[in-house]
Amino acid sequence: MASQNSDIHLYTAQTPNGIKVSILLEELGVPYKVTAIDISKDVQKEPWFLEINPNGRIPALTDKLEDGTPISLFESGAIMQYLVERYDKDHKVSYPQGSKEYYLTQSWLFWQMGGLGPMQGQANHFTRYAPEKIEYGINRYQNETRRLYRVMDAQLAKNEKGYLVGGRPTIADFSCWGWVAAHGWCGIKNFEAQFPHLNAWLNRLLERPGLEKGRHVPSKHTALELNKLSEEELEAKAASSKAWVQKGMAEDAKK
């Protein structure tokens, strides 16, 4: 079993990137403290937070190494790698270093970090937060998100176990789950029909107690409910966020 002793402190918000780490921590059964970061008020850009993550983004995590040395980690993929290497000695949601599955898991983790997250994030921006509707930007990033979903769907179809790598879910799956769960927010329609294997994977992971608990950290996860709303209702939901997104971009541009 993973160690039940830790000094982990997670700084996070209710976003697809933010819930990756809490999902993993709950899956591992490792105790941790949580500080909710209000990104709408730019808490992540305050000096105390920049001491933890100089990039001013969530999630971030602090811990102590076995010799007591404090460590601050940022970038969700790096945090997830650290957590399984440190706390998943029995490979509950990972594979032994040097194995084929270990390297494939790394490939899919980096695929999410470099592809799915950034592309769907841009689809979110142009679909929900841009001050004007730019058809080229919306189409470009929604189409790329759909392409990436097809890549995932095809990979899942090839594995009879229904996971990205091997016979159990790993950090590759957990890193993608929050993004795929939020498909409606970026404007992807007819998700279940277009991506049947991906939809089955989404619901299969949802049955796991660890994921179910972790997705609601630090606040209730509502992406699945948002997928059921009409486009008009989604636009209304986005209106309140659009202002602070634009404000933050303007302030960053002045620096």
Side-chain angles (χ1 to χ4, degrees):
M1 296 293 292
S3 170
Q4 295 302 303
N5 298 311
S6 83
D7 294 288
I8 293 172
H9 194 143
L10 174 63
Y11 303 83
T12 191
Q14 182 50 249
T15 72
N17 278 336
I19 64 173
K20 294 177 189 177
V21 179
S22 52
I23 287 172
L24 177 57
L25 285 165
E26 294 295 342
E27 287 281 341
L28 292 173
V30 177
Y32 61 102
K33 297 178 182 178
V34 180
T35 293
I37 302 299
D38 190 342
I39 58 177
S40 71
K41 296 180 179 178
D42 283 344
V43 174
Q44 74 279 10
K45 298 178 183 179
E46 293 178 0
W48 72 269
F49 187 87
L50 294 175
E51 289 295 317
I52 300 170
N53 180 2
N55 194 41
R57 297 291 186 271
I58 61 93
L61 181 145
T62 59
D63 195 7
K64 289 182 180 177
L65 300 180
E66 292 182 2
D67 64 1
T69 303
I71 185 171
S72 299
L73 296 166
F74 55 96
E75 291 299 317
S76 58
I79 295 171
M80 296 179 88
Q81 286 182 311
Y82 165 80
L83 289 173
V84 293
E85 289 179 17
R86 177 85 186 275
Y87 295 103
D88 192 22
K89 301 299 185 183
D90 56 351
H91 303 295
K92 181 180 178 182
V93 292
S94 64
Y95 289 97
Q97 190 167 2
S99 67
K100 175 183 177 180
E101 291 82 2
Y102 171 86
Y103 294 116
L104 290 175
T105 299
Q106 302 306 300
S107 292
W108 282 104
L109 176 64
F110 280 83
W111 175 87
Q112 187 281 310
M113 295 293 296
L116 179 61
M119 294 300 101
Q120 188 168 335
Q122 291 298 323
N124 286 343
H125 181 83
F126 281 100
T127 303
R128 304 295 173 205
Y129 305 126
E132 58 187 274
K133 294 294 184 182
I134 302 172
E135 185 177 358
Y136 175 82
I138 293 171
N139 291 339
R140 165 76 178 93
Y141 291 109
Q142 285 185 358
N143 287 338
E144 180 62 5
T145 300
R146 274 189 287 267
R147 185 192 71 81
L148 292 164
Y149 282 8
R150 287 195 298 271
V151 171
M152 256 188 103
D153 195 70
Q155 175 66 13
L156 292 166
K158 291 190 296 185
N159 185 352
E160 63 180 12
K161 300 295 185 181
Y163 302 112
L164 287 174
V165 178
R168 55 182 175 268
T170 65
I171 56 176
D173 298 278
F174 300 142
S175 71
C176 294
W177 191 89
W179 287 102
V180 177
H183 56 267
W185 190 248
C186 73
I188 302 298
K189 307 297 183 184
N190 302 315
F191 174 81
E192 295 85 354
Q194 289 191 77
F195 313 107
H197 302 286
L198 191 54
N199 182 56
W201 167 91
L202 184 73
N203 291 303
R204 182 179 305 113
L205 288 176
L206 190 60
E207 296 174 356
R208 297 178 64 86
L211 187 142
E212 173 59 23
K213 186 175 180 180
R215 74 183 178 107
H216 296 295
V217 176
S219 57
K220 182 176 173 59
H221 180 253
T222 60
L224 298 176
E225 287 77 12
L226 292 178
N227 292 335
K228 302 172 184 177
L229 299 183
S230 67
E231 188 60 28
E232 292 75 17
E233 290 171 320
L234 289 170
E235 283 293 295
K237 288 280 187 182
S240 61
S241 301
K242 187 179 297 186
W244 66 259
V245 169
Q246 292 301 317
K247 178 177 179 289
M249 290 175 60
E251 290 175 352
D252 284 343
K254 295 176 183 178
K255 295 177 182 178

